[in-house]
Amino acid sequence: AIWMTQSPSLLSASTGDRVTISCRMSQGIRSYLAWYQQKPGKAPELLIYAASTLQSGVPSRFSGSGSGTDFTLTISCLQSEDFATYYCQQYYSFPYTFGQGTKLEIK
Amino acid sequence: QVQLVESGGGVVQPGGSLRLSCAASGFTFSRYGMHWVRQAPGKGLEWVAFIRYDGSNKYYADSVKGRFTISRDNSKNTLYLQMNSLRAEDTAVYYCAKRVTTADDAFDIWGQGTMVTVSS
């Protein structure tokens, strides 16, 4: 199985900040990586797939980059609705795996 | 609109069985591979199983292999997860999810989830 290290696990920031979340793979996965946002009591929502493709309807302040083993999710100007938990996921090979999650909280 | 609705969750004793269903609408279900993903209370996401659009290939997480079976009925636009020999560690919200495209396995549509509690 491919292991993933997502960091940080907790991120404190303020509205208007630019933040980045990282995901590192135990082996190369080309660009088969997605990012999800999850709010309490809700299902996850797809933000980015194929490492850098913005899902339809997702605000352009979200962006993804990377390939191979190192990936990044960037939120360029935090809005109040962005405080949530974020997960990366590899879908290069089965079993698919998720990162441990990053909780983005208000500073 | 594109929608997935899970059902079938509940409380079951260790060693028991449960079958989850996921009703799909708003898209051509028979063209898309489908997944089950679960989330234990207060924990992260865990991928559980995948079935190809025509049911010809299935893949499972090691934690459920040999105990869970994924299946689908394209005539009913419904995905299933048969769960046998349930354990306490299977307690979770179970989500079904659809591939974002027929060739890309990110999950663009998720159901609302159904809670499975394994407890005596």
Side-chain angles (χ1 to χ4, degrees):
Chain A
I2 297 175
W3 299 103
M4 325 173 54
T5 302
Q6 184 177 339
S7 62
S9 56
L10 179 64
L11 182 56
S12 298
S14 302
T15 303
D17 285 354
R18 175 187 176 93
V19 298
T20 61
I21 299 169
S22 296
C23 213
R24 174 164 286 179
M25 308 297 137
S26 60
Q27 64 186 78
I29 62 165
R30 294 166 61 183
S31 295
Y32 293 100
L33 187 103
W35 291 96
Y36 301 88
Q37 177 193 70
Q38 187 178 33
K39 295 182 178 178
K42 300 292 187 182
E45 294 186 0
L46 178 64
L47 299 173
I48 302 282
Y49 65 98
S52 60
T53 301
L54 193 67
Q55 170 66 350
S56 175
V58 174
S60 59
R61 61 181 180 273
F62 291 92
S63 64
S65 64
S67 68
T69 60
D70 291 295
F71 300 85
T72 300
L73 172 70
T74 299
I75 311 173
S76 60
C77 182
L78 275 173
Q79 303 299 303
S80 58
E81 60 267 31
D82 299 337
F83 292 97
T85 300
Y86 293 84
Y87 295 94
C88 55
Q89 178 225 350
Q90 69 81 17
Y91 52 96
Y92 175 75
S93 67
F94 290 108
Y96 292 170
T97 43
F98 289 88
Q100 304 93 320
T102 295
K103 184 176 181 180
L104 177 56
E105 65 172 23
I106 301 173
K107 184 185 289 184
Chain B
Q1 96 245 31
V2 179
Q3 193 174 8
L4 297 171
V5 178
E6 301 97 338
S7 60
V11 180
V12 61
Q13 292 189 338
S17 298
L18 214 52
R19 188 176 86 154
L20 306 183
S21 298
C22 169
S25 59
F27 66 102
T28 306
F29 179 72
S30 60
R31 292 185 60 197
Y32 289 86
M34 296 290 295
H35 296 263
W36 287 98
V37 177
R38 68 184 180 183
Q39 186 169 35
K43 302 297 185 182
L45 300 168
E46 180 186 16
W47 172 81
V48 173
F50 167 77
I51 186 167
R52 202 162 174 250
Y53 69 97
D54 57 0
S56 60
N57 287 89
K58 305 173 185 181
Y59 298 89
Y60 298 93
D62 288 345
S63 57
V64 307
K65 201 173 295 182
R67 300 187 299 122
F68 290 12
T69 302
I70 189 172
S71 62
R72 64 191 298 157
D73 185 336
N74 286 344
S75 69
K76 295 182 178 179
N77 290 341
T78 303
L79 175 73
Y80 302 101
L81 185 68
Q82 177 66 43
M83 304 186 295
N84 298 331
S85 304
L86 283 161
R87 306 166 180 167
E89 54 265 36
D90 296 318
T91 294
V93 174
Y94 285 74
Y95 298 100
C96 58
K98 166 191 163 293
R99 302 178 98 188
V100 64
T101 71
T102 56
D104 195 297
D105 236 350
F107 310 151
D108 67 332
I109 303 296
W110 298 62
Q112 84 287 356
T114 187
M115 183 71 203
V116 172
T117 302
V118 183
S119 174
S120 54

